[in-house]
Structures are given as structure tokens and as C-alpha cells.
Amino acid sequence: MDSANGGQASNHQRAKRIWILCLVMVLCWLLSGIASAQQYEVINLPAAAVTPEKISGYERAAKTLASSRKPEQLTADVKRNAMIYIEHIVPYTMVSKDKLNEMGPMLASLEKSLSGAQRINNPGKTDLLKNIYNGMTKVAKGNYIPAARINAVLVLGRLDSAPYDGATGRPPKPLAAAYPALFDTLVGLYENEEEVDGVRAAALQSLHRVAMYGFPTMSADNKAKLTQLMTDLLDAPAPADRDPKAHAYLQRFAVDILHYVSAPEDTTLGKQLISISTNEEQPDLIALYSASQLGDMNTQLEGQVVDTQGVLKSWSRRAFDTVESELKRLKALDRTSAMAVKQPPSPDTFLGVKEDKKKKKDKSRAGGGMAGGMGMGGMGMDDAMMGGMEMDGMMDGMDMGMGMDGMGMDDMMGGMGMGGMGMMGRMPAAKPQPPEVSLSRRRITSVLQQLLRGAVGSPLAEIPDTPSGLISAASEEDQKVLTSWVDDVRPVAEAINDDLLDDKKKWMESLEEQRVALAKLAGVELLDGDEDAGQDDRRPGGLPTFGLPGNQAPGLPGDLPGGMPAGDAPDAGLPAGDLPGAN
């Protein structure tokens, strides 16, 4: 007894220490949050300069600078007040925590003003661009709250020395492509591993835009710098403090940037994309994107596809895994819905008056039927709305070529008369599909399209007249392999996009068939039980068996064999004879 009491006391002490440790951890977390909140700086301006009246005057000057077409209206006071607003008031607002909701509209208005001034060639466009650059650079490089810095970096990446020309289709000219100081600022923010990850991601996104539109004017040194940075990003694993999927998302920017700045004869990127797309350790987000980007290449792939059959086998495995994961997800939804517990009966049923229920039922039967003698056959209105789905099914099956407007009851009933429901001669249209089916179809279709695009340059399951991708650089023998693979994927793609698979049961049955077809392409050996993977392993009550001994229904494999020692039986340890209170 003493030892038992000592053990309980020890357990209580251990639990107490655990709770104290948890409390200390929470306090440390709170204190660290307070400390981190205090480490960010703010911009202090004189109180007289930030009154609503003063700010409105500064803002009007900035709008005048952006909209006036007369140089004489841009006086020194206008330019000075506009500079104060853009380089001081806007940053002051951005870094203030209590004004975060004003940041978005303020920055959007500034960008719109600059774009308009550049488009109509206003005399104040250069001053406006310079002011925005100075104000955003100060916030982006300063020790301010991350939200302000991220927005400032994105604005810097969208600054153009010349805007998009809709008349000629000329793309914009990013300022960072021709202005080394801005390019170095964006590169420096991205390179610094001590920076906030959100700031680095914003800098990468800005560099992506600079490379996309500014590669014709970028210097060779800047292109080489981006090439090295993006190659390192593609080769690097996800840092410890970054989610692998977030890392894969950032790597997609690297793929695009390398594609923009690389020379047409450079085969390095093609080789790297093939390696990424066939690496089983890479997430689908970057592996499938790398495969799809191969569809934009032809000469860059020459001599880089060593094993075409192996590449297609790896890609087929990704498609197979996608279908398999969708089947598992849909079956899990079935288990969840099957385990739903019914609500207990209403207390009224225990007090209730059966006679009242009978009267209500009789009253519902006595209710009038539909016009023309088409009664509900004893079905109450509640039954007709909640349980009488046959009527809905009948109306869905009637593919009426015209609306009900202008159709009288006699006309409608005439179509159902002696002619044998002539309006039902057409094939029934597909019903609206459940969300889980639509989402599943969209995901699988996206995977197949990216793989097909990488193989032949088209997301369709057919080889275009001017193919690109793997087939454009393949030998004659490998071209036959690719053509055969496309022919094998085509029926899978057609089955996935069959719009008559309008309920989950039909959809899952089709997925089981496509799973087997993709397994053959991927070289996956299915077990005998896998061919019938659609069967559910639940008891009639809806609870899963989980494959545990003694948890199976009678007659299923796993039942305890006869003659098992009593100590191994499920009820081992119970006293022999009747349990107390059994009498």
C-alpha cells in the first residue's frame, strides 16, 4: 500500500513538473513575441506634419504631379509637397501597425498614378518615379515590420521605366533591368539568408518579373548572377524553417528565371529539369512544373534524354500515385460519412400521441394531388420534398430542348401521352457533379496535362504538327516510344474527362480502371487484392475493422483459431463462472 501511495505521489509530482514546464514555455513564447514586436523600428514625424489637413494637402500635390500636363503647374512647392507625401508620409503609414489597413489602397493609388503619368507622358513622371523608388527602398531595406517591407519590395519589382504599350503590344521595361542600384537591392534582399523568409520570397518574385520582361536589356553580369542564384535554389533542399511545399513553390520561380535568361543553345536547364521531374523525392509541385516547362524546349534538349523509357515510366508513376491518392481520399470521405451518428429520437415520441400522428398522416394523404389527376400516390408534401427524389430524377432525365416558359400544362401533358414521352428520346445530359468529383477530376487532369506537355509540347493527348518537348529531340526509336506512350495515355485522359461520371460511385469505379492502366505504364505490380481495392472493409454498422485480431466480423480472416490457449483469448483474466450481478 505504501509503495502504491508513493507511486501515485511520484506521478503527481511528475505531472506537476510537466505543467510547470509547459507554463514556462508559454511564457517564453509570449515574451519572445513581445520582444520581437519591439525590435522593429517606426518612422517618427513631427505631429504638425501628420495632421489630416496636412496629409490631404501633401496627397493633392502628389496627384497634381502625376496628372498635370502643364510644366508650369509643377512649381517647386508642388514637387516638394509631393516628395514629402511619397517619401515620408507613405512610409510612415506603412510601418505603423495601427494603419496597416491603409497600406494597400495607398500603394495601389501610387502605382496607378505612376502608370497613368508614364502612359500619357506627363512632365512629372520622372520625379514621381524617383520619389516612389526612394520611399519604397527606405522601407524595404529598413528594420520595419515584415508586412511593410514585403509590400515595399513588391512595389520596387513593379516599377517600370516605360509602361506596357497596349497599342503596339510592347511589354513593360522594368526599372531594375536597366538601373543597377535597384537590381542590386533586390538581389541583396534575396541572397541574405538572415532576412525574413517573406521578404526573400518577395524579392524573388520581383526578380522573376524583372527577368520575364527585362531580359533583353539586362547586362551579361546580371544574367550570370541570376543564373547562379537560381541554379543554387533548384539544387538546394528546403531549409529547416521552410515547408517543403513552400520551397517547391519558390523553385518554380527559379525554373522560369533560368528559362528567361538562358541562351537558346544552352542545354543545362533541360538536363536539370529532366532530373527534377524524375526525382521521386521532389514534391509534385516542382516535379510536374519542371516536366511541363520541357514542353517549351526543343534544341535545349538535344542529347539530354538518355533514357526516354525511364523518364516516361517515372512520369507515369506520378500519375498513378495521384490517382491512388484520390481514391484513398474519396474512400476516407465514405468512411467519415458512414460513421455519422443518428440523432436520438425526439422526446415527444415517448409522450406522444399516436393518434395525432395518424391524423397528420391521414391529412397529408387527403391533400390534393397535382393538376390533371397526377396525385402523389399517398405521399405527403414533406415526403415529396425530402424523400421523393424520383420526381427530381424524372425531371433531370427529361432533356427538354426548351424552357417551361410559354408551355401550358396541356402541352406538357401531351408530350407524356400516347406518344410514349417523345421528349425523352435524347441521351440524358450529365447532372451537376459533386464538388469532390470535380476537384478530383481537376487535379488528375492537371497532372496529365503537364506530363503530356513535357512529352510532346501539347496538353492534349495528341502529337501536334510542330511538336516540342522530349519528342522534338528524340531519336527515331525514342519517338516511337513517345508516340506509343501518348496513345496509351489518351484513353485514360478521355475516361477522366467523361462528363457522364456524375456521381462519386461512378467516378471511383472509373478511377479504379485508370489506376490499373497507369500501373502498367509505370511498371507497378499490383497485388491480387489491389485489383479489387474498391471494396470497403467496414462492418455493417459503418465502423472500420482496422485489421486488428478479434475485430473482424465472423467468418473473415483473422478470427481466433480454435484451440487457442485461454491466456491468449480476448477475455483472458476474467474469473470463471458467472460475473457478479449476473443473476
Side-chain angles (χ1 to χ4, degrees):
M1 180 66 69
D2 291 340
S3 62
N5 291 336
Q8 291 180 357
S10 177
N11 290 335
H12 286 309
Q13 291 294 332
R14 188 180 298 109
K16 184 177 180 180
R17 286 195 297 269
I18 292 175
W19 279 109
I20 292 175
L21 179 60
C22 293
L23 179 61
V24 171
M25 292 176 63
V26 171
L27 289 176
C28 291
W29 176 74
L30 291 174
L31 291 175
S32 65
I34 296 173
S36 63
Q38 292 176 346
Q39 71 180 349
Y40 299 122
E41 299 176 1
V42 295
I43 296 176
N44 295 316
L45 294 178
V50 291
T51 61
E53 295 79 10
K54 282 286 189 179
I55 292 177
S56 297
Y58 296 143
E59 186 176 7
R60 283 195 301 272
K63 291 181 178 179
T64 301
L65 182 66
S67 59
S68 178
R69 300 192 182 190
K70 298 179 180 180
E72 60 271 15
Q73 291 182 343
L74 302 181
T75 63
D77 285 342
V78 170
K79 292 182 179 181
R80 177 180 175 275
N81 290 338
M83 181 272 295
I84 292 175
Y85 177 74
I86 298 172
E87 295 188 21
H88 297 281
I89 300 298
V90 171
Y92 161 80
T93 304
M94 292 175 65
V95 303
S96 301
K97 291 184 178 180
D98 57 340
K99 300 181 185 300
L100 288 177
N101 60 328
E102 302 178 24
M103 180 165 49
M106 181 178 288
L107 295 180
S109 177
L110 269 184
E111 292 188 64
K112 184 178 179 181
S113 297
L114 176 61
S115 176
Q118 291 176 326
R119 191 164 48 249
I120 62 178
N121 199 25
N122 272 6
K125 64 178 184 179
T126 302
D127 290 327
L128 188 60
L129 176 62
K130 180 180 68 174
N131 293 337
I132 295 176
Y133 168 77
N134 290 336
M136 294 302 104
T137 301
K138 177 168 60 176
V139 176
K141 299 173 69 174
N143 185 25
Y144 303 114
I145 55 176
R149 298 185 62 204
I150 290 170
N151 278 275
V153 172
L154 293 175
V155 172
L156 289 174
R158 291 193 292 265
L159 290 182
D160 296 325
S161 56
Y164 165 72
D165 189 349
T168 62
R170 185 194 66 193
K173 296 180 179 180
L175 181 64
Y179 189 53
L182 180 51
F183 181 84
D184 292 341
T185 295
L186 296 176
V187 169
L189 290 172
Y190 169 73
E191 274 188 306
N192 187 0
E193 296 182 359
E194 302 299 323
E195 276 288 2
V196 179
D197 222 25
V199 173
R200 297 187 67 196
L204 178 62
Q205 183 175 344
S206 296
L207 290 171
H208 177 269
R209 184 180 185 275
V210 173
M212 177 168 55
Y213 295 123
F215 68 90
T217 58
M218 289 179 64
S219 66
D221 291 341
N222 287 347
K223 289 182 179 180
K225 181 67 173 178
L226 282 182
T227 300
Q228 185 60 50
L229 288 176
M230 298 304 107
T231 302
D232 293 343
L233 176 56
L234 281 182
D235 292 338
D241 57 346
R242 182 184 295 168
D243 185 270
K245 291 184 178 179
H247 187 68
Y249 178 76
L250 296 180
Q251 287 179 317
R252 290 169 47 140
F253 288 108
V255 171
D256 288 343
I257 292 174
L258 288 173
H259 189 65
Y260 296 141
V261 301
S262 62
E265 65 276 4
D266 187 2
T267 60
T268 305
L269 180 59
K271 181 179 180 180
Q272 195 169 19
L273 294 184
I274 292 173
S275 175
I276 293 173
S277 67
T278 55
N279 186 350
E280 296 181 0
E281 301 299 324
Q282 292 284 3
D284 285 349
L285 192 63
I286 181 61
L288 292 172
Y289 190 73
S290 298
S292 69
Q293 293 307 297
L294 292 171
D296 291 334
M297 299 181 179
N298 38 55
T299 57
Q300 296 97 322
L301 295 176
E302 290 181 358
Q304 302 306 312
V305 189
V306 180
D307 182 10
T308 301
Q309 185 69 46
V311 172
L312 297 178
K313 192 174 180 180
S314 175
W315 290 4
S316 301
R317 179 58 189 260
R318 286 202 179 265
F320 169 80
D321 290 341
T322 302
V323 171
E324 183 145 90
S325 68
E326 284 300 303
L327 279 169
K328 290 181 180 178
R329 184 180 66 84
L330 294 170
K331 290 174 183 177
L333 291 177
D334 280 345
R335 291 188 179 94
T336 303
S337 60
M339 293 177 64
V341 180
K342 293 184 177 180
Q343 293 294 330
S346 172
D348 294 342
T349 58
F350 298 101
L351 306 172
V353 194
K354 295 183 178 179
E355 185 177 356
D356 292 343
K357 292 178 66 178
K358 184 177 179 181
K359 289 180 180 179
K360 184 177 180 181
K361 185 176 181 181
D362 292 340
K363 184 178 179 180
S364 66
R365 289 180 177 178
M370 293 177 63
M374 292 179 62
M376 289 296 208
M379 185 190 301
M381 183 57 68
D382 291 339
D383 295 331
M385 295 179 66
M386 303 302 294
M389 300 306 293
E390 292 80 7
M391 182 62 70
D392 291 337
M394 182 180 71
M395 295 304 293
D396 287 337
M398 295 171 61
D399 186 15
M400 298 183 180
M402 52 185 168
M404 298 299 290
D405 297 336
M407 180 185 294
M409 182 60 71
D410 294 339
D411 296 330
M412 185 177 72
M413 297 303 295
M416 300 183 183
M418 299 298 291
M421 302 184 72
M423 287 186 291
M424 296 183 65
R426 303 179 187 176
M427 288 292 292
K431 299 178 182 178
Q433 300 172 358
E436 57 269 26
V437 173
S438 298
L439 292 174
S440 181
R441 173 180 283 116
R442 188 179 305 172
R443 181 191 175 196
I444 299 173
T445 299
S446 175
V447 171
L448 294 178
Q449 286 179 339
Q450 292 179 84
L451 297 178
L452 286 166
R453 190 167 181 269
V456 297
S458 170
L460 305 178
E462 58 186 23
I463 301 176
D465 296 334
T466 55
S468 56
L470 298 184
I471 199 171
S472 64
S475 63
E476 184 176 351
E477 187 65 27
D478 285 343
Q479 287 180 359
K480 294 179 181 179
V481 173
L482 283 158
T483 302
S484 175
W485 183 78
V486 172
D487 291 339
D488 290 335
V489 172
R490 184 180 299 113
V492 176
E494 291 174 351
I496 294 298
N497 288 279
D498 185 359
D499 59 359
L500 292 181
L501 303 176
D502 48 19
D503 61 50
K504 190 163 65 174
K505 182 180 179 181
K506 296 177 185 177
W507 174 248
M508 292 179 66
E509 289 174 351
S510 177
L511 286 189
E512 292 287 358
E513 297 176 1
Q514 310 321 315
R515 173 177 172 271
V516 175
L518 289 172
K520 294 178 180 178
L521 291 177
V524 177
E525 296 184 4
L526 297 177
L527 302 177
D528 293 338
D530 290 343
E531 300 279 349
D532 197 20
Q535 293 183 356
D536 204 347
D537 59 346
R538 288 173 293 167
R539 293 187 179 186
L543 295 175
T545 62
F546 300 113
L548 297 178
N551 245 356
Q552 286 83 359
L556 292 178
D559 284 349
L560 296 176
M564 174 175 285
D568 294 334
D571 57 352
L574 293 179
D578 295 332
L579 295 175
N583 297 327

